[in-house]
Amino acid sequence: MQFATITRILGLLIMVFSLTMIPPSVVALIYQDGGGSAFVLTFFLTIIFGFSIYFPKRHAKSELKVRDGFLVVVLFWTVLSLMGAVPFLLMGSMDMSLADSVFEAFSGLTTTGATVISGLDSLPHSILYYRQQLQWLGGMGIIVLAVAILPMLGIGGMQLYRAETPGPMKDNKLTPRIAGTAKALWYIYLGLTIACAVSYWLAGMTPFDALAHSFSTVAIGGFSPHDASIGYFDSATIELIASLFMLLSGVNFSLHFMAVRRLSLSPYIKDPEFRSYLAMLVGISVLCLTVLLAYDRFDFSDGLVKSIFHTVSIATTTGFASSDFSSWPSFLPVLLILTSFAGACAASTGGGIKIIRVLLLFKQGFREIKRLVHPTGVFLIKLGKTSVSDRVVQAVWGFFATYVMLFLILMILLMANGIDQITAFSAVAACLNNLGPGLGDVAVNYSGLNDFTKYILSFAMLLGRLEIFTLLVLFTPYFWRK
């Protein structure tokens, strides 16, 4: 383990993160909302802390190994979230506890969107902007952003990229150099954000709301400056715009890259994960519309918009809402929560197990059925025309088994702490899948939970954001052996 280099990188990244306190300080100055002092103080605390870690190891420039990359990612996300909680603690008008502040910061940076704050409409613009900014930075991963500048610091970044990128196949790069890959991802991410913000503004949002919601839409985060979320605007146009950009942000970003480079839609059409993703969204939307109309909950046009919006929002693990879907009739609330388990595509800003893993699980299950009929047969699992190695399939099964085991452990911990079954199930699902809203006592927000439960759910958010193994590997003795 290159501990000196790891310490140096961590210090550098924390100092970079301190710069993110400048934009909310500027917002506080523009709106004169009195929140600037909390961000200015956090800026100095963060940069001093980062510099104190960096300076003693400033000459350490060893090449990162794979294990080092995992440790840097986990340390950085943990420390970053803790530092991100400081402005909430220092904002005297909010009177937030340590558990609430940590929960809100973890929720923002992991793009979960679960909140303990109520009365958002009356909060200072600076803190509202800061929450949205946390999600935007966490959406693509500050690690991937840092990878673009690490080569200039004399450090290779591929190990960080492998640890951070969501999805089962992490060796694919869009460009020959990892720095180029990170830059390509961020150009796409920035382009989607700008297009989304302009669309919201043209649809009637104020510039502040348009920018704030574009941050959380493209990040698939779900935070909003309003308690009523997207429902605050009461606009079918805005809901459809949000649905479009949530759908796009849930797509594998390498497909966006190839589509732009080739000026063709063929990368989407040929990709089996994208086709499955689209089929799931269409199928669930139609089912929701059918049930809503059968129960006479909405007329056809409203029901169509609500069905599309909430299906895309929950399935991509964004968590926006324009109505209380937890009170929808029949099985719809549970169905929508279950769609978040599949989540979005690999290498997107979404959470969940990922569509490609679900697809491989179904294909492997079908292969086992065929083997029962033809025990000596050789059956390949293919995605499109490409065969998938058994190693990848085994990794997917291992991920799924570990996911289920952790889900049950976390749910039992919550129930042992006095949480009812529906709330415990949906809270763990919402946090582990980085979704946000749940059912029962967490349908609106998480403020009613006790501190111990909030810390457990914060850990669940981190597990989901780092796709479980990146974090769990640190708890194995094999990781620390020389």
Side-chain angles (χ1 to χ4, degrees), residues 169 270-273 275-276 356 359-360 363 381-388 392:
M169 291 178 274
K270 295 179 181 178
D271 185 67
E273 183 185 27
R275 296 199 301 267
S276 300
I356 192 170
L359 194 57
L360 288 174
K363 287 180 177 288
I381 291 180
K382 292 186 176 183
L383 287 175
K385 297 180 179 180
T386 305
S387 296
V388 179
V392 171

Side-chain angles (χ1 to χ4, degrees), residues 88-106:
F88 296 114
L89 279 171
L90 296 179
M91 193 68 66
S93 60
M94 298 181 66
D95 192 27
M96 292 180 67
S97 66
L98 177 62
D100 286 344
S101 301
V102 169
F103 183 93
E104 198 75 13
F106 268 84

Side-chain angles (χ1 to χ4, degrees), residues 13 20 33 170 207 228 260 268 288 293 303 308 345 366 392 394 435 467 469:
L13 294 176
T20 65
D33 60 19
K170 302 189 180 190
V260 170
Y268 301 110
C288 285
L293 291 178
I308 293 173
C345 300
F366 187 61
V392 171
Q394 290 167 5
L435 166 62
E467 299 223 338
F469 285 136

Side-chain angles (χ1 to χ4, degrees), residues 208-395:
F208 179 85
D209 279 337
L211 180 64
H213 285 94
S214 70
F215 280 179
S216 52
T217 302
V218 176
I220 303 192
F223 273 167
S224 171
H226 305 286
D227 286 317
S229 189
I230 295 293
Y232 172 85
F233 303 98
D234 192 23
S235 169
T237 302
I238 287 176
E239 290 179 42
L240 291 175
I241 290 171
S243 300
L244 172 62
F245 282 96
M246 287 187 291
L247 186 149
L248 291 174
S249 299
V251 175
N252 188 320
F253 269 52
S254 65
L255 295 182
H256 294 320
F257 177 84
M258 289 185 286
V260 170
R261 187 168 64 177
R262 299 176 187 176
L263 297 178
S264 170
L265 296 178
S266 61
Y268 301 110
I269 298 171
K270 295 179 181 178
D271 185 67
E273 183 185 27
F274 175 79
R275 296 199 301 267
S276 300
Y277 169 68
L278 202 59
M280 180 188 75
L281 294 179
V282 171
I284 299 297
S285 296
V286 171
L287 184 57
C288 285
L289 175 61
T290 303
V291 175
L292 289 174
L293 291 178
Y295 280 82
D296 200 25
R297 192 63 180 264
F298 300 102
D299 60 31
F300 180 81
S301 59
D302 285 345
L304 180 62
V305 172
K306 299 297 182 189
S307 298
I308 293 173
F309 174 77
H310 285 89
T311 297
V312 176
S313 177
I314 304 301
T316 60
T317 72
T318 308
F320 279 144
S322 62
S323 68
D324 182 12
F325 78 90
S326 66
S327 66
W328 281 8
S330 189
F331 56 84
L332 290 186
V334 175
L335 174 67
L336 289 173
I337 292 292
L338 289 177
T339 60
S340 72
F341 283 83
C345 300
S348 71
T349 56
I353 293 173
K354 300 293 186 298
I355 296 296
I356 192 170
R357 287 196 181 101
V358 175
L359 194 57
L360 288 174
L361 286 171
F362 273 107
K363 287 180 177 288
Q364 170 64 2
F366 187 61
R367 180 167 72 170
E368 291 304 315
I369 292 173
K370 290 193 289 186
R371 281 175 172 171
L372 289 174
V373 180
H374 303 286
T376 59
V378 177
F379 304 100
L380 298 177
I381 291 180
K382 292 186 176 183
L383 287 175
K385 297 180 179 180
T386 305
S387 296
V388 179
S389 71
D390 283 343
R391 182 178 178 182
V392 171
V393 176
Q394 290 167 5

Side-chain angles (χ1 to χ4, degrees), residues 406 410 432 459-468 471-472:
L406 285 171
L410 292 169
L432 194 58
F459 179 70
M461 295 177 204
L462 191 61
L463 275 172
R465 184 64 185 89
L466 298 181
E467 299 223 338
I468 297 177
L471 179 57
L472 286 188

